Amino acid sequence: MNPAKSLISFTTLSGLGFGLLFWLGVDPSPPTGWIAAVFFVIAFALTLGGLASSALHLRRPERALRAFTQWRSSWLSREAWLAVAALMASGAHGLALTLGAPILPLGWLAALLALGTVGATAMIYTQLRTVPRWHHWSTPVLFLALALTGGALLSGRIVIASVLLAALAVLQVWVWHDGDKRFARSGTTLGTATGLGSQGTPRALFPPHTGDNYLLSEMVHVVGRRHARKLRVIAILLMSLIPIVLLQLPMPHVFGLIALVSHVVGVLVSRWLFFAEAEHVVGLYYGRR
Amino acid sequence: MTMLPRPEDRSGRKLGLVIDLDTCVGCHACVIACKGWNDQAYGAPLSDSDPYGDAPSGSFLNRVHSYEVAPDPQAGPGPPSGPPPDLRGGQTPTRHVHFPKSCLHCDDAPCVPVCPTGASYKRAEDGIVLVNEDACIGCGLCAWACPYGAREMDPSAGVMKKCTLCVDRIYNETLPEEDREPACVRTCPAKARHFGDLGDPGSAVSQLVEDRGGVALMPELGAAPVNRYLPPRERDTWAGETDVLAPWLEPVAEEPQGFLGWLDRTLGKL
Ligand code: SF4
Ligand code: SF4
């Protein structure tokens, strides 16, 4: 799939923002006053920045409000509702904290909605049987793990963040390892795609058009996969391993910040791979994956 | 509403196409007829980008691929869930198959429920899958959900385009009777495309599917496509099909005679 910048930055930034909102929501002794205000401003900047970036992906963004109508069937629509609900609950929670009057159940609700939003984003990808690498329970688990880890780092929870970073590394490596086998496991081949498999082994001879088209640029994006192995190593180092080490050093404010930057860059690389390595079955018709 | 119509609300009619891979000659006339009709009919005109420039591209609702099928003498190449392998003795030569592909108007269309706006829908009355272009936000999710590459974003209107089964021809009483079928079907010079009601077991298209063993594409993905593909018919073996003139083209003298014969024998002894 095409690793569109708008989708990579949207899923990464909003994941971080909602992860932070989750930890602020479940904190039994949350910050109050202007410290709370700063945390919530950061979280809102990330989530709203991410959502604005997602609108760039639309070809007709002026009609974006229509995306709220189909929550009964569409995960994209559910995500829109959950995002608005999570932001409203978090906004109220943040306001109460800033005014020094915490309402803890409101925080729990905000935390639940924040996780729900990340889950709905992941389900947009998970539901697609056409992309076997995504069509798996590990996709929402990975998105949630990333959001929780980033949120823990952002809110300065050093112990929780260290544990989550380690768990994230294991999960991510397994997702790559298993993901590489999912296309073959799905059983879809050029033989089933053309129905010619019962007559022998089909091979794409020539494509229907000489130039590029929407299908190829959007779903048969194979550019850059050559470097996938190297990028996986870079991603896991930046996203998990380096931050774990940095968090154990003294001066948490300095090294914590560096750990956060390293983590976010690593997540961006991992998210780039999430899209770039995902093979859509339509590529079979073109003899590619 | 992007819920698929409930079974009890459906009429039972399933309009669709039957495409004969045996007779398609790969002329791409259906591609052009489709483009021609749809750049001036239903919805936004089907546009191109940079058509005369360095990187021409454009949206099409029907495309013709070409495949080579090498007979597989040993193993069953089919999917575990697919039809049993028909190996034809491994005697047939490698074949060239043209493969037209457009929306298959799936019964359980995965492109419809993913749509956040309600723009994509499946009609209860005849099963045609359409896009209400005035509601489409151009998010592209439906094209991701389609296994068959049947949806393409219009490069200038920024809305999703797909085969309408020429919904503006098949019910159009201002057209002569014989033109009330999809433009691709009407134009095909090899009669490789057939249009009809696949929900009616007695219809001509259903009969064709039954007689020729028509298949569904990627049945394992569960989209339950309505369109069917008729596999290429069995061919004779190499032996019978090489060339009718072959017997006359045999070398007249198998053994060299005269001087050449002497040379051949002598050289052979060295
Ligand atoms: S072929 Fe693709 S666009 Fe057409 S109904 Fe099936 S899933 Fe939808
Ligand atoms: S591109 Fe248009 S029709 Fe397709 S899912 Fe998005 S809004 Fe619906």
Side-chain angles (χ1 to χ4, degrees):
Chain A
M1 307 293 287
N2 177 20
K5 287 191 200 76
S6 55
L7 291 183
I8 292 174
S9 51
F10 155 57
T11 53
T12 307
L13 295 179
S14 72
L16 275 172
F18 285 117
L20 177 55
L21 289 177
F22 169 82
W23 289 111
L24 292 172
V26 295
D27 195 337
S29 53
T32 51
W34 67 269
I35 301 183
V38 169
F39 271 122
F40 277 91
V41 166
I42 292 174
F44 272 72
L46 288 167
T47 45
L48 292 175
L51 293 170
S53 163
S54 80
L56 293 179
H57 182 68
L58 306 181
R59 290 295 309 274
R60 302 296 293 255
E62 75 278 10
R63 299 172 179 167
L65 282 183
R66 285 185 184 269
F68 286 92
T69 59
Q70 305 301 313
W71 50 270
R72 289 203 293 163
S73 70
S74 167
W75 280 106
L76 184 45
S77 194
R78 288 174 198 158
E79 178 203 36
W81 276 107
L82 283 164
V84 169
L87 290 178
M88 287 188 358
S90 297
H93 179 52
L95 195 64
L97 291 184
T98 307
L99 298 177
I103 311 170
L104 290 188
L106 188 58
W108 303 336
L109 176 68
L112 192 68
L113 290 168
L115 283 194
T117 311
V118 176
T121 305
M123 283 309 293
I124 295 173
Y125 306 108
T126 310
Q127 68 181 335
L128 298 172
R129 301 185 73 167
T130 49
V131 184
R133 191 185 282 272
W134 291 348
H135 187 62
H136 194 269
W137 57 263
S138 65
T139 304
V141 173
L142 182 64
F143 271 60
L144 288 169
L146 283 165
L148 289 175
T149 311
L153 267 176
L154 263 173
S155 60
R157 288 173 161 71
I158 296 200
V159 178
I160 296 179
S162 302
V163 173
L164 283 172
L165 283 167
L168 178 64
V170 175
L171 177 66
Q172 174 69 85
V173 168
W174 180 78
V175 165
W176 282 329
H177 171 74
D178 188 64
D180 288 345
K181 300 185 216 146
R182 288 183 196 151
F183 202 104
R185 224 189 281 150
S186 75
T188 298
T189 60
L190 183 56
T192 69
T194 58
L196 294 169
S198 59
Q199 307 220 336
T201 306
R203 182 171 74 94
L205 202 55
F206 37 83
H209 44 96
T210 49
D212 197 15
N213 78 348
Y214 175 75
L215 300 175
L216 290 175
S217 58
E218 187 73 9
M219 282 165 269
V220 198
H221 187 93
V222 291
V223 194
R225 280 203 203 136
R226 263 178 316 132
H227 302 300
R229 300 271 149 191
K230 277 181 225 156
L231 287 171
R232 283 181 180 184
V233 174
I234 292 173
I236 206 79
L237 282 173
L238 290 175
M239 178 170 91
S240 289
L241 304 183
I242 293 176
I244 292 181
V245 174
L246 289 174
L247 285 186
Q248 312 318 316
L249 299 178
M251 290 203 292
H253 278 99
V254 178
F255 289 114
L257 189 67
I258 305 176
L260 177 67
V261 172
S262 167
H263 174 75
V264 173
V265 176
V267 175
L268 285 171
V269 177
S270 153
R271 206 42 67 75
W272 186 90
L273 286 167
F274 176 78
F275 288 101
E277 289 195 292
E279 310 98 331
H280 193 288
V281 294
V282 79
L284 291 169
Y285 286 110
Y286 288 89
R288 302 199 226 159
R289 282 234 327 240
Chain B
M1 184 49 83
T2 55
M3 306 283 281
L4 287 165
R6 287 174 303 178
E8 61 269 30
D9 293 339
R10 300 194 186 197
S11 70
R13 289 180 83 217
K14 298 180 186 179
L15 296 186
L17 300 176
V18 172
I19 294 174
D20 191 342
L21 298 180
D22 194 65
T23 48
C24 173
V25 294
C27 68
H28 292 238
C30 53
V31 178
I32 303 306
C34 170
K35 183 85 172 178
W37 180 260
N38 284 295
D39 66 10
Q40 52 199 330
Y42 183 97
L46 196 58
S47 66
D48 294 321
S49 65
D50 197 19
Y52 306 107
D54 289 340
S57 178
S59 45
F60 285 77
L61 311 182
N62 176 46
R63 303 209 185 238
V64 182
H65 294 252
S66 291
Y67 300 104
E68 173 197 75
V69 189
D72 200 344
Q74 310 111 22
S81 58
D86 172 10
L87 301 176
R88 305 177 189 216
Q91 297 299 311
T92 47
T94 293
R95 306 181 52 172
H96 184 177
V97 178
H98 300 289
F99 190 89
K101 183 164 63 60
S102 49
C103 172
L104 292 88
H105 296 280
C106 305
D107 251 353
D108 207 355
C111 55
V112 171
V114 299
C115 174
T117 62
S120 277
Y121 62 104
K122 182 172 177 74
R123 309 208 313 177
E125 65 267 37
D126 52 15
I128 297 180
V129 175
L130 291 175
V131 176
N132 171 7
E133 295 175 3
D134 294 332
C136 174
I137 56 175
C139 67
L141 189 55
C142 54
W144 287 14
C146 170
Y148 308 104
R151 292 177 167 242
E152 298 189 19
M153 187 82 75
D154 189 272
S156 37
V159 294
M160 197 50 77
K161 300 295 291 186
K162 68 176 293 300
C163 159
T164 65
L165 212 56
C166 282
V167 70
D168 47 356
R169 290 173 65 99
I170 59 180
Y171 297 115
N172 190 339
E173 296 190 348
T174 63
L175 293 177
E177 180 95 47
E178 66 269 28
D179 284 338
R180 290 182 214 157
E181 58 182 12
C184 56
V185 175
R186 183 80 180 100
T187 211
C188 178
K191 272 226 157 282
R193 306 180 69 109
H194 306 265
F195 164 70
D197 179 6
L198 285 142
D200 168 9
S203 68
V205 280
S206 295
Q207 287 301 314
L208 201 53
V209 170
E210 194 170 320
D211 295 347
R212 295 274 309 281
V215 296
L217 307 183
M218 294 198 235
E220 70 278 9
L221 288 185
V226 167
N227 288 9
R228 286 289 182 272
Y229 282 77
L230 307 180
R233 287 186 179 88
E234 192 167 347
R235 288 284 187 276
D236 295 342
T237 57
W238 269 124
E241 219 174 77
T242 325
D243 196 319
V244 283
L245 292 176
W248 286 276
L249 295 175
E250 300 285 341
V252 179
E254 295 288 353
E255 291 292 317
Q257 310 274 313
F259 173 69
L260 274 182
W262 171 81
L263 195 64
D264 189 51
R265 284 192 299 277
T266 315
L267 288 175
K269 279 183 204 147
L270 288 179

